[in-house]
Structures are given as structure tokens and as C-alpha cells.
Amino acid sequence: MLLHLVSSDKLLEARERLTALGVEHSLLPDQATFEIRADSSIIPPGELAARLVDLGPVEHTRSRTPLLDVIGKNHEVVVEVAGRAPIRFRNFGSDPVWIAGPCSLDELNDVRLTAKRLSALGVQVLRGGAVKPRTSPHEFQGIGRHGYKLLAEAAHEHGMAAISEALSEDDVPEAAQCLDIIQVGARNMQNYALLKKLGRTGKPVLLKRGAGASLKEWASAAEYLLNEGNKQVIFCERGVRGLERELRYTMDLAGAAFMQHRYGLPVVVDPSHATGVKQILEACTAGALAMGFAGVMLETHPRPVEAKSDSLQALNPEDFEAIARRHLKRH
Ligand code: PEP
Ligand code: MN
């Protein structure tokens, strides 16, 4: 963005105000124009221009996320489920949404029982993978797409919304038909063909951050959904690859906070995948809630020992209940 000063008298004031706003800037050799790094600023370009308007006209440079840039602050994603009040994902709200359930659905454990327990605690969204993105092809790949319907039936019976991942473009029609929210997994964040197809469904999409994705790449992935006319997009921080080996990933709360402040879309935090360590899930959940995120996602399984994926990070029902009773306001 270029700021053309109305008069050279404004030079010092402009520099002071840009510094106070925390925006990177440099004065061009003409001594009358500031080049402003608006693309990496936490302040959206429209707001930045409005704050500087008395200093002189602002010239916008091309943004990779023009649609995301103009989504209103605290944009709400509203999920309608028959027979209950709409579920509202909103940053800095008073009622963050809890998403919980098993990593993957399996034949042994009846997901309806999980739905019953979780809904009684105030959890609004039931998760459960049907088609699973596994690191090795030799690991359990999920029960298949018919799981979408099983999950949705269990959720709806208890007034919850259902979320599950669409792994490929082929999954989209059935996912859109059965589910209330469709998840894009970390490994698929930059699968643009999938994003375009999901964008066209108009269904709420939870967009997980790729483990190696920058904040700008994450934002650009959301832009693909918006570009198809779908504004029902929720960001989900699920950890990025850092130096640590004790933790599964590095839970980037600061990055998630940047997204929450810079863009209007709601941001949810998933401490289960971000850490992989059950003993610290409560602390990480409490931290995320204190930061005003729109919600949290946690994995819980009726019998973690039988879980076919992510068994080590799954909370058993008793431990999940204890965490919900301490931190879920609505229980
Ligand atoms: C999941 O939520 O089931 C999952 C596979 O997560 P991620 O894509 O974040 O690894
Ligand atoms: Mn999992």
C-alpha cells in the first residue's frame, strides 16, 4: 500500500502514527510517499487506510485475499440443526463451541452413546472421521463414507451438529448431504480442487491449518472457499511442525490469535492433534478459551485402547467429562 502525503509537513506525524500502529513502512526517495507493508500487518487494509485518511490518499496494492480482507470483524458462522438453537461460531464471543468425539468411527463402539454423553455435557458438535488421512497406507483408513450418515444420525438424535472430514473430491456430495460442517484436514489444506468443490456446496467448512503452512497460505486457502461464494468458513489451528519431539506438533496459539485479529472468520483450536499428549489437553483448552477463540476441538473415545487411530491422545469419557465440567460453561 502506498500513502501519498498531502504535505511534507505530515512526514514526522505519519512516521509516528505508522510506528504506533506497528506497521512496517519505509519512506520512498521522493520524501512524500510511504510504502506500507499492509499485507503482513495485523490490521486489515481497509481499516488501515481509514485510519490514515487525513494524512493523504492511500493506494492499495494487489492482495491475494481480497475477499477475506473485507469479511467483517467477528463474522459469525451459524450452523443450523433442526430442533435446537443455531450453533454460532464467533471469535471473542461468550459461548465458545465445543467439538468432540472420536478421531475415527469404528465398528466396535456405538457413536450414539458418545453423542448422548457429550450432548449432556453441553458439547454442540460431534466429530468422527469416516474416511481418514493416515500417514501410512497400512494404517486403518476409516470405515468409509457410510460413516457420515451414522455420525449425523447420532448427532441429530441428540441435538448436535455433525462434523467429519472430506478426504477427496469424491467424498464431497455425500459429505454435503449428511454433515452439518465439513472438515478439510491439515494434509489437504492446499488441495485447491477439493476447496473449490467444497466452496460450491455452500456448507460450513472447518479449514485445518497445514502443519507446514504459513498464516498467509492458510488465509489464501480460505480465499478459495470464499471465491466460490462460501463465507461459512471456520479456521482450525491444529499445530505446526516445530523443533519439538515430545509434542506431536507445536500448538501455534499466537498464529491463531493473529488470524483471529486480522481476519473476521472464527478460529477454533484443536489441542488434541496439536499436542498429542492427553495430560496437557486441559491446560491447552483453558488457554485457548481464555484467548477468545470461537471454539475448541478435542478427541475422546469410549475406550481409547480400542481406538483405531490416535488412541494415545484420546481422552476417556471420565477425563473428558472432568474437563468439560471445569471449562464448558454451558454444561
Ligand atoms: C482429524 O481431525 O481427524 C485429523 C486427521 O486432523 P488433522 O487433519 O489436523 O491431522
Ligand atoms: Mn485424530
Side-chain angles (χ1 to χ4, degrees), residues 77-79 172 176 179-182 195-205 225 228-233:
V77 173
V78 181
V79 180
V172 172
L179 304 170
D180 305 294
I181 309 171
I182 305 173
L195 295 175
K196 284 183 187 174
K197 192 157 180 182
L198 286 171
R200 289 194 288 270
T201 67
K203 279 263 168 178
V205 173
L225 295 161
E228 300 296 333
N230 190 351
K231 292 186 186 170
Q232 300 275 86
V233 182

Side-chain angles (χ1 to χ4, degrees), residues 29-258:
D30 68 356
Q31 299 289 306
T33 311
F34 277 98
E35 186 177 6
I36 298 172
R37 288 284 314 281
D39 60 333
S40 55
S41 166
I42 195 164
I43 305 168
E47 192 183 323
L48 199 53
R51 291 214 205 180
L52 302 172
V53 72
D54 58 299
L55 293 170
V58 160
E59 198 182 313
H60 288 276
T61 37
R62 230 179 120 253
S63 164
R64 279 192 168 150
T65 54
L67 302 173
L68 194 53
D69 287 345
V70 297
I71 282 269
K73 269 253 156 96
N74 299 328
H75 172 80
E76 259 190 3
V77 173
V78 181
V79 180
E80 307 272 358
V81 177
R84 62 153 300 140
I87 299 167
R88 297 178 181 280
F89 287 85
R90 183 192 169 86
N91 293 324
F92 311 112
S94 54
D95 194 14
V97 177
W98 283 53
I99 305 171
C103 178
S104 49
L105 301 169
D106 58 60
E107 314 284 6
L108 277 179
N109 297 283
D110 187 354
V111 71
R112 286 175 305 178
L113 191 59
T114 301
K116 187 174 175 201
R117 283 183 178 154
L118 295 178
S119 65
L121 292 168
V123 175
Q124 292 155 304
V125 184
L126 181 68
R127 62 153 289 147
V131 285
K132 294 298 302 177
R134 302 308 301 282
T135 301
S136 164
H138 306 295
E139 292 169 325
F140 177 60
Q141 302 288 304
I143 61 171
R145 287 202 283 263
H146 71 275
Y148 293 152
K149 190 156 177 268
L150 298 179
L151 182 80
E153 280 170 1
H156 297 164
E157 193 180 325
H158 295 281
M160 302 172 86
I163 182 171
S164 194
E165 175 166 354
L167 194 56
S168 80
E169 291 166 69
D170 294 344
D171 299 330
V172 172
E174 211 161 322
Q177 198 192 345
C178 300
L179 304 170
D180 305 294
I181 309 171
I182 305 173
Q183 178 168 318
V184 175
R187 292 157 188 81
N188 259 328
M189 189 204 82
Q190 288 178 310
N191 180 342
Y192 300 123
L194 177 65
L195 295 175
K196 284 183 187 174
K197 192 157 180 182
L198 286 171
R200 289 194 288 270
T201 67
K203 279 263 168 178
V205 173
L206 181 127
L207 179 63
K208 287 199 153 194
R209 178 183 184 180
S214 68
L215 299 177
K216 201 158 285 170
E217 287 163 341
W218 192 11
S220 299
E223 184 81 6
Y224 268 88
L225 295 161
L226 267 55
N227 196 39
E228 300 296 333
N230 190 351
K231 292 186 186 170
Q232 300 275 86
V233 182
I234 303 159
F235 284 124
C236 178
E237 163 61 31
R238 48 76 72 210
V240 290
R241 190 73 80 195
L243 302 170
E244 280 312 322
R245 290 297 165 263
E246 282 76 9
L247 299 168
R248 199 170 169 191
Y249 294 93
T250 295
M251 183 163 129
D252 185 12
L253 281 180
F258 183 96

